[in-house]
Amino acid sequence: MLVAEVAIFAPLPRPLTYQIPDELLHTLKVGSLVYVFVGRSKKEGLVVGIQELEQPPTYLIKPIVGMIYDVPVTDSLLIELYHWIERYYFASFSDVLEAAIPQAIRKNTAIKLQSLLHAEENEGPDVKKFPKQYEAWCFLRQNPGMLKEEFLKKFSRNVFDALLKKHFLYEVFQRQERQVYAQFLPQVGMTEAVTLTEQQRAVCEIIGQNLEKGTFGVYLLHGVTGSGKTEVYIEMIQKIIHEGGSVLYLLPEVTLTAQTVKKLRQRFPNIPVHVWHSGLSEGERRDTWFQIMDHPGTLVVGARSAVFLPLQNLRLVIVDEEHERTYKQEENPRYHGRDVAVYRAKLAQATCILGSATPSLESYYNASKGKYTLVTLPQRVDHRTLPQVTIVDMCYEKGAVFSKILQDKMVERFERREQVMLFLNRRGFAPTVLCPSCDYVATCPHCSIPLTYHKSRQTLLCHFCGYEIAPTKVCPKCGAPEILYRGLGTQRVEEVVQKIFPQVRLARLDSDILQKKYAFIEVLEQFQKHELDLLIGTQMIAKGLDFPNVTLVGLINADGSLSQQDFRANERTFQLLVQVAGRSGRGDLPGEVVVQTRIPGNETLYFAKNTDYSAFFEKELTEREMFHYPPYRHMIALHISSRNASLAELWSQDFLKKTLQPSRDCFPPQTDIRGPVPSPVEKVQDRYRFVLYFLTPKVSRTVQTLRVLLANCTVPKEIALAWDIDAYDFS
Ligand code: ADP
Ligand code: ZN
């Protein structure tokens, strides 16, 4: 008897076995979605294995009820990937499935059918009696398969109804193949390929050899900003796409997808270029998913979750801006998109390119150890120079938003009709709302962080949980008639600019704008066409974007990330500065950068000013080694949370003393266990949080040990545990 192992879309510990009924024997495959009964309820599940039972079973095996689609939605390589994520990231299989196969696919919802019209091959309507109908019938004969919507723009509903009723036309329904971004980024003809520079050619040569061999290999492409990394990707795509190979192209932010998709559609007008990110509608997801599944030789540009798309004959995986933290998912399963992409490439025996101007310490370290191959583009295209960076000490600027030097340079640019970008890593208007009389600070009642004042919406907002209240005029604690709004957010910068430069056309781009679907594309297009002079944004637009007319970039406050108590603070600051600076001077005009800070002596700022990656890397690596931080060890965080603070704290300490410490020998040698300590943000959504850190040379053995230890100890139901493997930072 043939049976299927079915992973149910519900938190069950393992797949269940079902009989395959005769009528499904030929269509059911590993990767098919099916309906099955679990107890009395009908559930959806994924077939993860098929096997022949030698002996008839001694117990009843229920049959599979039916298939959700007649084709599989995933394949065995991807299922292997899901299992790897389950093991490596200490995740549950159902969480992995949830992340990997979106709701829109699981539930078979939102099929959009479109109607195509054809004229019947007959005499047609009487031309004298029904001239309009005759005209429409002739028109359809000349344009068979016309979209009904289009037809109805030319002819009336009455004409349509009459033709249909008299059998002069017929309708064919087919699944609508929506193409995401089609309406926003109309194709404007093919653009010519550029002539690669010497450096680009050398890099392509090296990676190209691996592509031809068709084996797994990871290349770390370290190219300074504006060195033309995208052209290297395009050249590599070109190499395989016409042979029916597929390409997965990952980007760290939704906002970066539009520019890249546009460029790729222009360069590959005959190849479908798909888009994938969290902003897609259910219908768009479904269409995209099946189009990809049906066609080897497709190109997908997407954010983190695109790593799970069912690309067939995958030959090339590109992870652009590989250092970005947005590749790390913050909910379960807490996978790292870049690392999953590398593993996927390994399973598919594909070539993987990790690109960045500021590689993560992990990847650069891997390259230095020979695990990845390092390829470099040390210069900008056309010998353009890297921008000149000025560091301004804000201690002498009397609390102003703009230093004199930045303001003067802005005036210059606006007079010369060049464009400016300003960055600030805080959205909202003012991040601190306080009373000058007592020590009151407006704080979220559910999370231990201050509320941010959003002027445009007139609310105080918690950036953790979304809690909001109306701002008060008097202090709620002491009744003093005055409240101060301190600190800087993007909205306030916008307001100040409008006051100083009332004529300047500007827009703000932060995560507020993502709430409106595709609004960001409009803003970026306007900026591209120079309908805007100034763009104010958060880290969302600090990397990747290419606007040749931008010659000045201002970083309003560089200190936010430097002053954080975190092992990655320097790395993050270095990356932010170099990336921000990288937006300037990308065209024929040289660029400049002004960095405002209150700690101008900081060494990281100087490495960044000189774009001296290797000096930064050497120094940072020494420090990481001293304290056993990544990349020397992997960091695993165990988050322990509960509404009851003392329960969480006591359990954490008990777990350390009674379970972890007595089993020290079961962990790989050189594993450090640190904590428990309160999390940097102690309370989120009314839950108190503690954390234990494991610094270990070997993830898989550590996770295995932890699984066993946890299975043998009780966790009260008021406590929630969350594992974060390769945690990005201490939060
Ligand atoms: P990076 O991703 O390395 O920051 P991009 O790939 O965005 O850089 O390239 C920067 C700019 O240089 C783009 O406008 C691109 O069109 C242009 N460019 C890249 N390679 C070449 C080349 N070989 N010849 C001319 N222009 C190029
Ligand atoms: Zn909150």
Side-chain angles (χ1 to χ4, degrees), residues 194-197 200 224-231 263 381 384 546 586:
V194 302
T195 313
L196 294 184
T197 63
Q200 285 169 325
V224 297
T225 55
S227 60
K229 293 185 284 296
T230 320
E231 289 302 330
K263 197 162 197 168
V381 171
R384 283 168 201 154
D546 183 31
R586 296 173 69 87

Short mmCIF file of all heavy atoms in Angstrom, two decimals, residues 194-197 200 224-231 263 381 384 546 586, ligand 1:
data_model
loop_
_atom_site.label_atom_id
_atom_site.label_comp_id
_atom_site.label_asym_id
_atom_site.label_seq_id
_atom_site.Cartn_x
_atom_site.Cartn_y
_atom_site.Cartn_z
N VAL A 194 25.66 47.81 -20.74
CA VAL A 194 26.83 48.69 -20.66
C VAL A 194 28.07 47.86 -20.98
O VAL A 194 28.04 46.64 -20.96
CB VAL A 194 26.98 49.30 -19.25
CG1 VAL A 194 25.76 50.09 -18.86
CG2 VAL A 194 27.28 48.22 -18.22
N THR A 195 29.14 48.53 -21.29
CA THR A 195 30.41 47.82 -21.46
C THR A 195 31.04 47.70 -20.08
O THR A 195 31.25 48.70 -19.40
CB THR A 195 31.35 48.64 -22.38
OG1 THR A 195 30.60 49.04 -23.51
CG2 THR A 195 32.55 47.81 -22.79
N LEU A 196 31.31 46.49 -19.70
CA LEU A 196 31.84 46.29 -18.35
C LEU A 196 33.22 46.89 -18.21
O LEU A 196 34.01 46.90 -19.16
CB LEU A 196 31.90 44.79 -18.03
CG LEU A 196 30.57 44.05 -17.94
CD1 LEU A 196 30.81 42.60 -17.53
CD2 LEU A 196 29.64 44.72 -16.93
N THR A 197 33.50 47.37 -17.02
CA THR A 197 34.85 47.85 -16.76
C THR A 197 35.77 46.63 -16.58
O THR A 197 35.30 45.51 -16.40
CB THR A 197 34.91 48.68 -15.46
OG1 THR A 197 34.56 47.81 -14.37
CG2 THR A 197 33.95 49.83 -15.50
N GLN A 200 35.02 44.84 -13.37
CA GLN A 200 33.77 44.06 -13.45
C GLN A 200 33.99 42.79 -14.25
O GLN A 200 33.52 41.71 -13.88
CB GLN A 200 32.66 44.91 -14.09
CG GLN A 200 32.08 45.97 -13.17
CD GLN A 200 31.18 46.94 -13.92
OE1 GLN A 200 31.41 47.28 -15.08
NE2 GLN A 200 30.15 47.43 -13.25
N VAL A 224 32.86 48.72 -3.55
CA VAL A 224 32.51 50.00 -2.92
C VAL A 224 31.20 50.52 -3.53
O VAL A 224 30.79 50.06 -4.60
CB VAL A 224 33.63 51.07 -3.10
CG1 VAL A 224 34.90 50.61 -2.41
CG2 VAL A 224 33.87 51.37 -4.57
N THR A 225 30.56 51.44 -2.85
CA THR A 225 29.29 51.96 -3.35
C THR A 225 29.51 52.61 -4.72
O THR A 225 30.47 53.35 -4.91
CB THR A 225 28.70 53.02 -2.41
OG1 THR A 225 29.68 54.04 -2.21
CG2 THR A 225 28.33 52.42 -1.06
N GLY A 226 28.62 52.28 -5.66
CA GLY A 226 28.75 52.85 -7.00
C GLY A 226 29.79 52.15 -7.87
O GLY A 226 30.19 52.65 -8.91
N SER A 227 30.23 50.96 -7.45
CA SER A 227 31.24 50.24 -8.23
C SER A 227 30.59 49.39 -9.32
O SER A 227 31.28 48.76 -10.11
CB SER A 227 32.10 49.37 -7.32
OG SER A 227 31.30 48.42 -6.65
N GLY A 228 29.27 49.37 -9.35
CA GLY A 228 28.58 48.63 -10.42
C GLY A 228 28.37 47.16 -10.11
O GLY A 228 28.51 46.31 -10.98
N LYS A 229 28.01 46.86 -8.88
CA LYS A 229 27.73 45.46 -8.52
C LYS A 229 26.53 44.93 -9.30
O LYS A 229 26.52 43.79 -9.73
CB LYS A 229 27.48 45.34 -7.00
CG LYS A 229 28.72 45.65 -6.16
CD LYS A 229 28.50 45.42 -4.68
CE LYS A 229 27.68 46.52 -4.02
NZ LYS A 229 28.33 47.85 -4.02
N THR A 230 25.53 45.81 -9.48
CA THR A 230 24.33 45.38 -10.19
C THR A 230 24.67 44.89 -11.59
O THR A 230 24.10 43.92 -12.07
CB THR A 230 23.34 46.56 -10.28
OG1 THR A 230 23.35 47.24 -9.04
CG2 THR A 230 21.94 46.06 -10.56
N GLU A 231 25.63 45.55 -12.25
CA GLU A 231 26.01 45.12 -13.61
C GLU A 231 26.64 43.74 -13.58
O GLU A 231 26.50 42.96 -14.52
CB GLU A 231 26.95 46.14 -14.25
CG GLU A 231 26.29 47.45 -14.63
CD GLU A 231 25.12 47.28 -15.60
OE1 GLU A 231 25.13 46.33 -16.40
OE2 GLU A 231 24.18 48.08 -15.52
N LYS A 263 14.96 47.98 -13.75
CA LYS A 263 16.21 47.80 -14.49
C LYS A 263 16.24 46.43 -15.17
O LYS A 263 16.60 46.31 -16.34
CB LYS A 263 17.38 47.93 -13.51
CG LYS A 263 18.70 48.16 -14.17
CD LYS A 263 19.70 48.71 -13.15
CE LYS A 263 20.88 49.34 -13.85
NZ LYS A 263 21.71 50.13 -12.95
N VAL A 381 32.72 53.13 -10.76
CA VAL A 381 32.70 53.09 -12.22
C VAL A 381 33.21 54.42 -12.78
O VAL A 381 32.97 55.48 -12.20
CB VAL A 381 31.25 52.85 -12.70
CG1 VAL A 381 31.13 53.01 -14.19
CG2 VAL A 381 30.78 51.48 -12.25
N ARG A 384 34.96 57.56 -10.99
CA ARG A 384 34.30 58.54 -10.12
C ARG A 384 34.88 58.38 -8.73
O ARG A 384 35.17 57.27 -8.30
CB ARG A 384 32.80 58.27 -10.08
CG ARG A 384 32.12 58.75 -11.34
CD ARG A 384 30.70 58.24 -11.44
NE ARG A 384 30.28 58.28 -12.83
CZ ARG A 384 29.35 57.51 -13.36
NH1 ARG A 384 28.72 56.62 -12.62
NH2 ARG A 384 29.03 57.61 -14.63
N ASP A 546 20.03 54.30 -6.44
CA ASP A 546 20.98 54.92 -7.36
C ASP A 546 20.34 56.16 -7.99
O ASP A 546 19.53 56.04 -8.90
CB ASP A 546 21.35 53.88 -8.43
CG ASP A 546 22.40 54.39 -9.40
OD1 ASP A 546 23.25 55.20 -8.98
OD2 ASP A 546 22.38 53.98 -10.58
N ARG A 586 27.03 59.66 -7.35
CA ARG A 586 27.03 58.43 -8.14
C ARG A 586 27.03 58.71 -9.64
O ARG A 586 27.25 57.82 -10.45
CB ARG A 586 25.84 57.55 -7.77
CG ARG A 586 25.91 57.09 -6.34
CD ARG A 586 24.66 56.36 -5.94
NE ARG A 586 24.50 55.08 -6.61
CZ ARG A 586 25.02 53.94 -6.16
NH1 ARG A 586 25.72 53.93 -5.06
NH2 ARG A 586 24.83 52.83 -6.82
P1 ADP B 1 26.56 49.55 -6.67
O1 ADP B 1 25.42 48.57 -6.59
O2 ADP B 1 27.89 48.87 -6.67
O3 ADP B 1 26.48 50.65 -5.66
P2 ADP B 1 25.43 50.17 -9.24
O4 ADP B 1 25.43 48.80 -9.78
O5 ADP B 1 24.15 50.76 -8.80
O6 ADP B 1 26.50 50.28 -8.07
O7 ADP B 1 26.12 51.11 -10.33
C1 ADP B 1 26.34 52.49 -10.08
C2 ADP B 1 26.08 53.30 -11.37
O8 ADP B 1 27.08 53.03 -12.33
C3 ADP B 1 24.77 52.94 -12.01
O9 ADP B 1 24.15 54.14 -12.45
C4 ADP B 1 25.16 52.07 -13.18
O10 ADP B 1 24.24 52.16 -14.23
C5 ADP B 1 26.51 52.60 -13.56
N1 ADP B 1 27.39 51.57 -14.15
C6 ADP B 1 27.68 50.38 -13.62
N2 ADP B 1 28.56 49.70 -14.38
C7 ADP B 1 28.83 50.49 -15.44
C8 ADP B 1 29.68 50.38 -16.60
N3 ADP B 1 30.42 49.29 -16.80
N4 ADP B 1 29.71 51.41 -17.44
C9 ADP B 1 28.97 52.51 -17.24
N5 ADP B 1 28.15 52.69 -16.19
C10 ADP B 1 28.08 51.71 -15.29
#
